[in-house]
Amino acid sequence: MKIIMLGAPGAGKGTQAKMIADKCGIPHISTGDIFRANIKNGTELGAKAKEYMDKGLLVPDELTCGLVVDRIQAEDCKDGYILDGFPRTIPQAEALEEALNKIGQRVDFAINIDVPDENIISRMSGRRACTSCGATYHVVFNPPKKEGICDDCGAELVLRDDDKPETVKNRLRVYHDQTQPLIDFYSARDVLRTVDGTQSMEKVFDDILKVLGA
Ligand code: ADP
Ligand code: ADP
Ligand code: ZN
């Protein structure tokens, strides 16, 4: 099954994608995690991506599409995958569609997690991200067992620089301008499914499993 997660920054894409990946046994591919790993490892791609990420802007399509198209051809993707944070622009969606068309495949579901802008700032300012494995927590809605420490791997949790309110406002603007048009794109292909992302994490997950028939 090939699944795309759509939704504003902080809508819960990563949280749900991880749970779906565990349940369905398919890889969770997050472009944000890939860029952050590159920044951490000091690669050239990381240095370029960071310039945009710090400002709350999208990394250019030229740096993003190729890496995802390569990743989904890896052996572990043969039974499907969940793309979290990609595509984020119409050209990215077209690049994905073209790559899949070539091998006679298509996206099965684009899951849109719907959360109004009003809820996003508090979601983001309370988010804490693991510096090692990419797991995310929330100081109120999903606290780790031990403050500041990842339940899964024991590494330190941090507030991401781009989760500060000034940057979040930019990211929301960018979302409405460049990513929201994907809702129509996937709706036209009859694969869009919208779930109410203001519910509890468990309820959102239930709704997604119903959509997937899992
Ligand atoms: P969130 O899950 O909060 O939306 P991500 O971890 O997905 O954040 O992304 C963090 C940042 O990485 C984005 O603000 C953007 O700068 C960059 N990024 C991630 N995915 C993409 C993409 N598909 N295209 C362009 N930039 C991206
Ligand atoms: P995204 O990947 O879309 O940017 P995340 O999955 O990282 O979003 O979630 C953003 C923040 O909101 C995290 O701190 C997460 O723990 C929290 N969160 C996710 N889903 C919910 C929910 N249904 N209710 C409350 N908080 C949530
Ligand atoms: Zn961790």
Side-chain angles (χ1 to χ4, degrees), residues 130-135 137 150-157:
C130 176
T131 47
S132 177
C133 75
Y137 299 85
C150 178
D151 292 350
D152 291 346
C153 76
E156 189 197 0
L157 301 179

Side-chain angles (χ1 to χ4, degrees), residues 7-11 13-14 30-33 35-36 49 52-54 56-61 64 68 84-89 92 124 127 160 162-163 171:
K13 300 180 297 297
S30 154
T31 38
D33 285 352
F35 290 136
R36 280 185 291 277
Y52 298 91
M53 292 167 77
D54 283 348
L57 300 174
L58 294 184
V59 178
D61 293 339
T64 310
V68 176
D84 162 16
F86 182 96
R88 259 183 158 96
T89 64
Q92 290 182 10
M124 306 300 253
R127 170 155 70 178
R160 272 166 43 184
D162 63 342
D163 279 352
R171 291 167 65 195

Side-chain angles (χ1 to χ4, degrees), residues 133-207:
C133 75
T136 60
Y137 299 85
H138 191 283
V139 290
V140 179
F141 306 129
N142 182 28
K145 291 194 180 77
K146 190 159 180 260
E147 198 188 319
I149 303 291
C150 178
D151 292 350
D152 291 346
C153 76
E156 189 197 0
L157 301 179
V158 295
L159 171 66
R160 272 166 43 184
D161 275 341
D162 63 342
D163 279 352
K164 300 193 171 133
E166 318 78 76
T167 317
V168 170
K169 282 187 196 136
N170 272 339
R171 291 167 65 195
L172 271 175
R173 230 185 331 259
V174 166
Y175 167 76
H176 289 298
D177 283 355
Q178 295 183 262
T179 307
Q180 215 169 13
L182 295 178
I183 292 180
D184 287 342
F185 182 96
Y186 286 109
S187 178
R189 284 151 181 78
D190 225 11
V191 294
L192 184 82
R193 303 288 185 274
T194 296
V195 299
D196 175 2
T198 63
Q199 310 173 97
S200 70
M201 293 176 196
E202 294 72 22
K203 184 70 181 59
V204 177
F205 186 49
D206 270 358
D207 285 1

Side-chain angles (χ1 to χ4, degrees), residues 38-55:
N38 274 274
I39 294 172
K40 203 171 161 187
N41 295 330
T43 70
E44 199 179 318
L45 172 65
K48 284 189 193 146
K50 189 174 187 316
E51 287 177 35
Y52 298 91
M53 292 167 77
D54 283 348
K55 297 186 187 120

